[in-house]
C-alpha cells in the first residue's frame, strides 16, 4: 500500500495523498491551505497551536497530526471552525505583548496575517501585558519573549535543521516560556549564528535580526498585498536578515 | 472654600484619555478683579518616555511616531537622527539625507496647511465672535470654497510626499538606522513634480491671505497676546532657516543674541524642565536664567525671528516684508505665528520644488554604517518648534532611558502667559462669555494645533474655563462639551 495514491474530500475538493501523509501535508502539497502556526514542513510535527483543527465527521482533529485516510470527509472553511480559530488567535494576542505598529515582522507576521484572514478586530480575553525578559545579548539576533507564541519552531529547527540545541520550552501552562540552553541562559552565549534556520523561521516577531530591519514600506510587505491563505506561511528573505529564503 | 475648589478641580481633570482635544484653563483673580494667574492644564498622560524603555533601539522611530497623528514624521526623524548616532553614522548618504529632507518638508507643509486652513482660518475669516456653528472648516468651505479647497489640496500634497517616501500618509516606515529604506521611483518623482507646479502659487496666495488677515486690524494683531520673549530654534551654520538639522540659536526679545551655533547634542547643558503638580506637561527653561525667567518660545515665529535669511527666494522676500512691517526688530505678537507659519509653508513648497529636480532621490545608496555607541540625541524643527529626542541604550541594545522635549512643551509657559494676557485684556466683569472662551482658544491655537485642547475642528474642542477669586474660590465656570455646546455654572 505504501506510495499508493489515495484521495480525501477537503471542503468538497478531492485531495490526493500518499500513505503516511498528514491531512496538512496533503493539503499543502495540493496547493490548499489550512491555518497553522506551529507546523513547518521541514520540521517534526508539534501539534500545539491547534489552529489547524479540521472537522472530520463529528470530530475535531488537528490536521498536522492526523494521517489522511482514503475517502475521508474533511471540513475546513466552516463557521464553527472559524470561531474556534478566532478564539485561539485572540488568546495568543492576549497572552503576549504584540504591539504591531513597531514590530519588525508587521506585514510579514503569520500571526497578524491569520488575524486579518479570520477578521479579528480585538481580543475578547483580558490582555495579560506580560513582561518577560528580552534577550539582546547576541550580536545579530534579538529575542523578545513577549511576542513568543511557544510554537517551538525555533526549538525544532535548531535541533533538526541546524544540528544544535539552542532553544527549549520550559515551565508549564501559562508559565511556559522559551529558554536558552546556555550556562547563563543568554542567547549570546550559545553557538547560534545568523544563518541558522532557527533564527530565521520564527513566524512572529519574537526572534528578529538586529540589522536590516524595516526594509519594506507599508503596503509593500507580503501580507499587506496577499492574504495568507493565498501565499501560505512564508517569511520573506527581507525579514530574514537578507539571507536566502527558507521556503515552507 | 479651598476644599470646594480642590474638589471642582478634581472633577475637571477626570482622565479624558483621548489623545487629542482636551484641556482645562483656570484663571485666578486678584482683589481688583485682574487676572493674576492663568493655567492651561494638559490633562492627558502619555508616558512614552517610560514605556519605550526596554524596547530595542531600532524600533524607536516607529514607536515614538505614535506620539502624534499630525506630525509623526517629526518624531520619526528625530528618533532616527538619535539612532544614527547610536549606530555611529555621522553623515548620511546624500540620497538618504535628501529623502529625509523631502519627507520633512512634506510634513511641515501639510501640518502648516492643516493648521492654517482647518483650524485657524475660521477665526480669522469669520471673526472670534461669529456664529459658532459656522466657525469651522465646513463654514470656510461654504463661504470660501476655492480657498478652502486649495488648503485641503496643499495638505493633501504634503501627505502624498509622505506616502511616497514612507508608504503611508500617517505612521509609515522610512528612516532606518543610518539612512533610509527605499529610494523614490522616477515615476513617483515625476508625478510629484507635476503637482508642485500647482501647489507653489497656492502657497503664495495662502501666505498673502495670512498677511492680509493679520494686518486687517493692525492694533489687534500687534496687541493680541503680544509677548516679548526669547526665541529658540535651529539655524544652519550660515544662519539660514533650517528645519531638519543645524545648531541651536536663541535670541533675546530685543533681537540680540543669547546663544548661537550651540551644539544641540549638549541641550541638557542649556535647557532643563520643571514639573508642576497641576499639569502633565513640563515647563522647559534655560538653566542659566532659572525656571521663572528662563522660558522661551519655539515654532514658526521663533524660526522666522531667529534666522538671518530663508534659503528660498519667495519665502525670503516674505520674511523681509514680515519683519519690516511688524518687527521691532523681532515680532512678538502671538497672532504673528499664523503669518510666520505660512511663510514657512511657502518655503517648504519652494524647497520641495528644488528637491524634486534632484536625481539622487532615486539613488539606492541609502544606508551608512559606523561604530556603535550607547547614546543618541536627535534634534529637529517640527512644525510647532524644536523637538528633542534623547536615548541611552544598554548592553542588550534596549532603551535604558529616554528624554523627549516636544515642541509644545517648550511653548508651555508662553501659552499660559498668552491666555493670561487675553483674559486680562478681555474679561469684563466676572462672567465668562463664549467670546472670551474663544479668544482664549485663539491664543492657544496660535501656538499648536497638536496640543490636546487646540483641536477645534468642526467646533469640537472640549475646553473648560474656571474663574477663581482669591477670597471666594470658584466664582464661575464655563464648559464647552464634545458637541461644541456651552454649559455654564
Amino acid at each position: 500500500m505504501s506510495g499508493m495514491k489515495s484521495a480525501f474530500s477537503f471542503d468538497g475538493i478531492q485531495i490526493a495523498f500518499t500513505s503516511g501523509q498528514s491531512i496538512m501535508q496533503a493539503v499543502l502539497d495540493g496547493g490548499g491551505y489550512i491555518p497553522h502556526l506551529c507546523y513547518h514542513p521541514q520540521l517534526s510535527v508539534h501539534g500545539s497551536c491547534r489552529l489547524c483543527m479540521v472537522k472530520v465527521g463529528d470530530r475535531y482533529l488537528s490536521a498536522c497530526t492526523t494521517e489522511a485516510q482514503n475517502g475521508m470527509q474533511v471540513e475546513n472553511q466552516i463557521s464553527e471552525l472559524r470561531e474556534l480559530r478566532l478564539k485561539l488567535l485572540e488568546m495568543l494576542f492576549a497572552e503576549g505583548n504584540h504591539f504591531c505598529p513597531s514590530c519588525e515582522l508587521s506585514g510579514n507576521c503569520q500571526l497578524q496575517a491569520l488575524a486579518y484572514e479570520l477578521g479579528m478586530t480585538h481580543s475578547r480575553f483580558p490582555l495579560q501585558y506580560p513582561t518577560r525578559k528580552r534577550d539582546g545579548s547576541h550580536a545579530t539576533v534579538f529575542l523578545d519573549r513577549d511576542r513568543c507564541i511557544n510554537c517551538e519552531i525555533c526549538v525544532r529547527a535548531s535541533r533538526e535543521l541546524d544540528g544544535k540545541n539552542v532553544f527549549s520550552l520550559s515551565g508549564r501552562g501559562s508559565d511556559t516560556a522559551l529558554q536558552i540552553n546556555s550556562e547563563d541562559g543568554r542567547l549570546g552565549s550559545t553557538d547560534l549564528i545568523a544563518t541558522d534556520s532557527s533564527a530565521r523561521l520564527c513566524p512572529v516577531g519574537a526572534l528578529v535580526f538586529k540589522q536590516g530591519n524595516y526594509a519594506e514600506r507599508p503596503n509593500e510587505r507580503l501580507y499587506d498585498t496577499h492574504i495568507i491563505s493565498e501565499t501560505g506561511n512564508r517569511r520573506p528573505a527581507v525579514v530574514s536578515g537578507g539571507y536566502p529564503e527558507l521556503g515552507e | 472654600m479651598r476644599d470646594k475648589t480642590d474638589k471642582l478641580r478634581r472633577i475637571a481633570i477626570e482622565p479624558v484619555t483621548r489623545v487629542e482635544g482636551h484641556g482645562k484653563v483656570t484663571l485666578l483673580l486678584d482683589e481688583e478683579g485682574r487676572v493674576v494667574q492663568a493655567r492651561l492644564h494638559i490633562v492627558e498622560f502619555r508616558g512614552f518616555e517610560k514605556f519605550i524603555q526596554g524596547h530595542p533601539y531600532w524600533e524607536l522611530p516607529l514607536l515614538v511616531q505614535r506620539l502624534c497623528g499630525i506630525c509623526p514624521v517629526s518624531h520619526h526623524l528625530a528618533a532616527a537622527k538619535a539612532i544614527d548616532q547610536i549606530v555611529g553614522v555621522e553623515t548620511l548618504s546624500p540620497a538618504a539625507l535628501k529623502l529625509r529632507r523631502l519627507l520633512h518638508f512634506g510634513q511641515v507643509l501639510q501640518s502648516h496647511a492643516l493648521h492654517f486652513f482647518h483650524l485657524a482660518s475660521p477665526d480669522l475669516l469669520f471673526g472670534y465672535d461669529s456664529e459658532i456653528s459656522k466657525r469651522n472648516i465646513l463654514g470656510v468651505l461654504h463661504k470660501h470654497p476655492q480657498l478652502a479647497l486649495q488648503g485641503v489640496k496643499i495638505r493633501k500634497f504634503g501627505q502624498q510626499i509622505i506616502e511616497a517616501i514612507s508608504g503611508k500618509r500617517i505612521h509609515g516606515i522610512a528612516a532606518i538606522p543610518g539612512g533610509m529604506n527605499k529610494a523614490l521611483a522616477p515615476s513617483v518623482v515625476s508625478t510629484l513634480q507635476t503637482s508642485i507646479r500647482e501647489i507653489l502659487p497656492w502657497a503664495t496666495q495662502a501666505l498673502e491671505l495670512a498677511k492680509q488677515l493679520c494686518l486687517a486690524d493692525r492694533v489687534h494683531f500687534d496687541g493680541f497676546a503680544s509677548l516679548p520673549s526669547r526665541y529658540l530654534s535651529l539655524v544652519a551654520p550660515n544662519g539660514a532657516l533650517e528645519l531638519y538639522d543645524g545648531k541651536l540659536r536663541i535670541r533675546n526679545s530685543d533681537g540680540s543674541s543669547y546663544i548661537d551655533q550651540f551644539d544641540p547634542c549638549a541641550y541638557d547643558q542649556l535647557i532643563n524642565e520643571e514639573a508642576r503638580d497641576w499639569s502633565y506637561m513640563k515647563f522647559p527653561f534655560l538653566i542659566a536664567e532659572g525656571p521663572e525667567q528662563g522660558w522661551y518660545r519655539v515654532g514658526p515665529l521663533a524660526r522666522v525671528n531667529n534666522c538671518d535669511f530663508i534659503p528660498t527666494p519667495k519665502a525670503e522676500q516674505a520674511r523681509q516684508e514680515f519683519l519690516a512691517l511688524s518687527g521691532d526688530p523681532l515680532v512678538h505678537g502671538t497672532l504673528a505665528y499664523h503669518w510666520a507659519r505660512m511663510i514657512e509653508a511657502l518655503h517648504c513648497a519652494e524647497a520641495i520644488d528644488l528637491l524634486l529636480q534632484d536625481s539622487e532621490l532615486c539613488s539606492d545608496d541609502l544606508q551608512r554604517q559606523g561604530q556603535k555607541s550607547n547614546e543618541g540625541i536627535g534634534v529637529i524643527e517640527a512644525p510647532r518648534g524644536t523637538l528633542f529626542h534623547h536615548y541611552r541604550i544598554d548592553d542588550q541594545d534596549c532603551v535604558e532611558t529616554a528624554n523627549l522635549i516636544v515642541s509644545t512643551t517648550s511653548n508651555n509657559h508662553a501659552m499660559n502667559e498668552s491666555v493670561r494676557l487675553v483674559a486680562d485684556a478681555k474679561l469684563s466683569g466676572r462672567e465668562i462669555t463664549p467670546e472670551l472662551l474663544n479668544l482664549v482658544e485663539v491664543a492657544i491655537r496660535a501656538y499648536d494645533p497638536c496640543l490636546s485642547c487646540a483641536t477645534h475642528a468642526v467646533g469640537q474642542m472640549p475646553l473648560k474655563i474656571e474663574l477663581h477669586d482669591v477670597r471666594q474660590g470658584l466664582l464661575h465656570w464655563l464648559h464647552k462639551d464634545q458637541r461644541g455646546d456651552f454649559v455654564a455654572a
Side-chain angles (χ1 to χ4, degrees):
Chain A
M1 290 292 286
S2 179
M4 181 180 167
K5 281 285 182 184
S6 303
F8 63 89
S9 169
F10 180 71
D11 285 337
I13 299 170
Q14 288 299 303
I15 300 289
F17 69 95
T18 306
S19 179
Q21 275 193 314
S22 66
I23 295 172
M24 175 73 82
Q25 287 172 317
V27 168
L28 294 181
D29 283 357
Y33 178 74
I34 301 172
H36 61 278
L37 285 168
C38 73
Y39 175 80
H40 192 282
Q42 294 173 278
L43 302 173
S44 60
V45 172
H46 194 233
S48 63
C49 77
R50 316 309 284 173
L51 281 166
C52 70
M53 295 279 266
V54 290
K55 194 170 185 183
V56 182
D58 57 356
R59 298 180 66 198
Y60 295 111
L61 302 169
S62 59
C64 69
T65 58
T66 304
E67 279 194 16
Q69 302 289 328
N70 198 27
M72 188 182 255
Q73 299 290 314
V74 179
E75 294 178 285
N76 177 51
Q77 297 273 23
I78 54 177
S79 59
E80 61 189 276
L81 280 175
R82 181 192 168 279
E83 176 61 20
L84 289 171
R85 287 168 178 159
L86 194 56
K87 280 183 180 170
L88 287 172
L89 275 179
E90 289 173 16
M91 284 192 276
L92 285 173
F93 274 95
E95 72 175 8
N97 199 359
H98 300 278
F99 188 67
C100 297
S102 69
C103 181
E104 151 70 0
L105 257 285
S106 188
N108 293 308
C109 170
Q110 293 164 25
L111 180 68
Q112 184 191 50
L114 278 169
Y116 281 126
E117 170 95 9
L118 294 173
M120 178 182 157
T121 57
H122 64 287
S123 177
R124 287 166 284 184
F125 303 96
L127 297 174
Q128 303 297 306
Y129 298 114
T131 50
R132 306 180 192 117
K133 197 171 181 181
R134 295 185 177 101
D135 189 338
S137 61
H138 196 276
T140 53
V141 180
F142 185 86
L143 169 62
D144 185 345
R145 289 185 174 88
D146 288 343
R147 293 176 184 155
C148 179
I149 56 171
N150 295 342
C151 68
E152 230 189 26
I153 281 183
C154 61
V155 176
R156 286 172 283 149
S158 182
R159 293 171 187 167
E160 298 168 20
L161 299 178
D162 303 331
K164 301 178 182 178
N165 186 23
V166 174
F167 304 98
S168 62
L169 285 182
S170 73
R172 298 178 67 83
S174 60
D175 294 328
T176 306
L178 191 65
Q179 299 298 321
I180 307 301
N181 297 329
S182 63
E183 281 196 13
D184 60 3
R186 286 154 54 103
L187 206 52
S189 305
T190 68
D191 54 354
L192 178 79
I193 58 173
T195 50
D196 282 352
S197 299
S198 59
R200 301 159 58 199
L201 290 179
C202 180
V204 292
L207 279 168
V208 295
F209 289 95
K210 289 186 171 183
Q211 295 183 331
N213 300 315
Y214 310 112
E216 296 171 305
R217 299 182 183 120
N219 302 319
E220 295 175 354
R221 302 166 299 191
L222 179 64
Y223 299 123
D224 290 336
T225 50
H226 300 83
I227 57 173
I228 194 166
S229 58
E230 288 176 352
T231 62
N233 287 6
R234 196 152 60 87
R235 179 163 165 156
V238 287
V239 293
S240 300
Y243 305 110
E245 187 173 353
L246 290 173
E248 185 180 278
Chain B
M1 190 58 68
R2 184 183 177 83
D3 290 340
K4 180 183 175 186
T5 304
D6 287 346
K7 185 178 179 183
L8 287 166
R9 278 184 183 162
R10 190 165 57 251
I11 292 168
I13 60 170
E14 274 284 333
V16 186
T17 55
R18 289 201 299 161
V19 173
E20 292 171 299
H22 297 269
K24 189 181 83 166
V25 173
T26 58
L27 307 172
L28 185 66
L29 299 183
D30 65 13
E31 293 184 353
E32 283 75 45
R34 287 174 51 85
V35 177
V36 294
Q37 184 190 71
R39 284 179 173 177
L40 167 63
H41 304 257
I42 306 304
V43 299
E44 294 157 1
F45 180 70
R46 306 296 305 280
F48 266 75
E49 290 173 345
K50 181 65 183 171
F51 71 67
I52 60 177
Q53 290 176 9
H55 281 265
Y57 70 82
W58 54 85
E59 289 187 0
L60 285 172
L62 272 70
L63 270 173
V64 296
Q65 68 176 344
R66 300 282 166 164
L67 271 160
C68 181
I70 299 175
C71 54
V73 168
S74 302
H75 292 289
H76 185 70
L77 291 178
K81 287 180 73 175
I83 289 170
D84 291 342
Q85 293 176 11
I86 288 174
V87 298
V89 174
E90 290 183 11
T91 307
L92 297 178
S93 73
L97 183 59
K98 286 169 184 172
L99 279 168
R100 283 195 189 180
R101 284 186 176 279
L102 180 61
L103 179 65
H104 196 44
F105 281 128
Q107 147 76 19
V108 176
L109 178 64
Q110 71 85 18
S111 177
H112 281 1
L114 171 72
H115 178 258
F116 182 70
F117 288 100
H118 294 68
L119 303 177
S121 74
D123 294 321
L124 302 172
L125 287 168
F126 301 140
Y128 308 132
D129 54 352
S130 59
E131 189 180 337
I132 191 167
S133 63
K134 294 179 181 172
R135 203 170 56 217
N136 51 53
I137 185 62
L138 297 178
V140 179
L141 271 165
H142 181 71
K143 192 83 182 282
H144 306 280
Q146 187 181 357
L147 171 72
L149 201 58
Q150 286 178 4
V152 170
K153 286 185 174 178
I154 292 173
R155 177 163 189 250
K156 180 183 177 184
F157 176 71
Q159 288 180 306
Q160 284 173 330
I161 288 177
I162 295 170
E163 184 178 27
I165 297 173
S166 73
K168 284 169 68 181
R169 295 185 179 193
I170 302 172
H171 300 147
I173 303 174
I176 55 175
M180 294 286 278
N181 63 353
K182 289 241 175 166
L184 280 179
S187 60
V188 173
V189 174
S190 178
T191 303
L192 294 172
Q193 282 172 338
T194 304
S195 299
I196 189 64
R197 290 183 205 123
E198 198 173 38
I199 299 301
L200 271 168
W202 290 349
T204 307
Q205 291 167 28
L207 168 60
E208 185 60 27
L209 175 65
K211 185 182 86 175
Q212 286 175 8
L213 291 170
C214 285
L215 295 179
D217 183 346
R218 185 63 189 267
V219 174
H220 177 70
F221 173 72
D222 287 338
F224 185 83
S226 183
L227 200 58
S229 67
R230 292 190 186 88
Y231 295 96
L232 179 146
S233 70
L234 293 172
V235 291
N238 61 0
L241 180 85
E242 175 60 54
L243 297 176
Y244 176 76
D245 213 345
K247 305 285 188 187
L248 290 172
R249 170 181 284 180
I250 300 173
R251 280 197 202 275
N252 294 308
S253 60
D254 62 2
S256 60
S257 174
Y258 180 85
I259 208 163
D260 199 9
Q261 297 300 322
F262 187 86
D263 180 6
C265 291
Y267 80 96
D268 56 356
Q269 307 296 309
L270 183 68
I271 298 167
N272 202 349
E273 294 175 280
E274 184 188 29
R276 298 180 189 171
D277 59 6
W278 49 270
S279 179
Y280 281 124
M281 188 157 66
K282 291 178 182 174
F283 288 79
F285 61 92
L286 302 173
I287 293 170
E289 307 303 319
E292 293 300 320
Q293 302 299 322
W295 62 279
Y296 55 90
R297 290 200 282 185
V298 299
L301 183 60
R303 290 189 288 254
V304 174
N305 268 335
N306 265 0
C307 70
D308 296 330
F309 67 98
I310 298 177
T312 52
K314 289 179 180 171
E316 169 57 11
Q317 188 182 344
R319 183 194 71 91
Q320 291 180 15
E321 187 182 11
F322 174 72
L323 291 176
L325 281 172
S326 50
D328 186 27
L330 305 183
V331 184
H332 297 301
T334 295
L335 291 178
Y337 264 92
H338 298 299
W339 189 347
R341 192 169 284 120
M342 298 321 287
I343 293 173
E344 286 193 337
L346 178 58
H347 167 58
C348 289
E350 289 183 290
I352 288 167
D353 187 31
L354 288 170
L355 270 171
L356 287 174
Q357 295 167 34
D358 196 320
S359 61
E360 269 189 322
L361 293 175
C362 304
S363 165
D364 286 326
D365 177 21
L366 291 173
Q367 195 175 15
R368 294 282 188 267
Q369 294 184 334
Q371 192 69 35
K372 217 161 119 298
S373 71
N374 65 351
E375 187 169 9
I377 298 170
V379 184
I380 199 168
E381 282 295 333
R384 290 149 199 86
T386 317
L387 171 64
F388 300 83
H389 280 216
H390 184 183
Y391 306 104
R392 284 196 187 89
I393 62 167
D394 59 21
D395 60 0
Q396 302 271 309
D397 288 331
C398 292
V399 178
E400 196 170 58
T401 60
N403 186 32
L404 313 176
I405 305 178
V406 297
S407 322
T408 299
T409 313
S410 286
N411 280 333
N412 197 0
H413 184 101
M415 285 188 291
N416 276 278
E417 192 61 12
S418 295
V419 169
R420 188 190 68 79
L421 287 171
V422 170
D424 200 18
K426 305 291 181 183
L427 185 61
S428 56
R430 291 184 170 184
E431 184 177 351
I432 303 169
T433 64
E435 182 187 357
L436 170 67
L437 182 61
N438 190 44
L439 284 170
V440 170
E441 293 180 40
V442 168
I444 297 166
R445 200 172 292 132
Y447 288 92
D448 187 5
C450 245
L451 179 71
S452 301
C453 68
T455 52
H456 90 317
V458 206
Q460 293 180 3
M461 179 174 170
L463 180 74
K464 183 173 184 177
I465 289 189
E466 293 179 359
L467 190 63
H468 291 260
D469 184 281
V470 289
R471 289 173 302 178
Q472 300 173 47
L474 183 73
L475 293 179
H476 188 74
W477 62 266
L478 191 64
H479 173 65
K480 192 166 74 172
D481 66 17
Q482 292 277 1
R483 295 182 302 174
D485 296 331
F486 287 103
V487 181

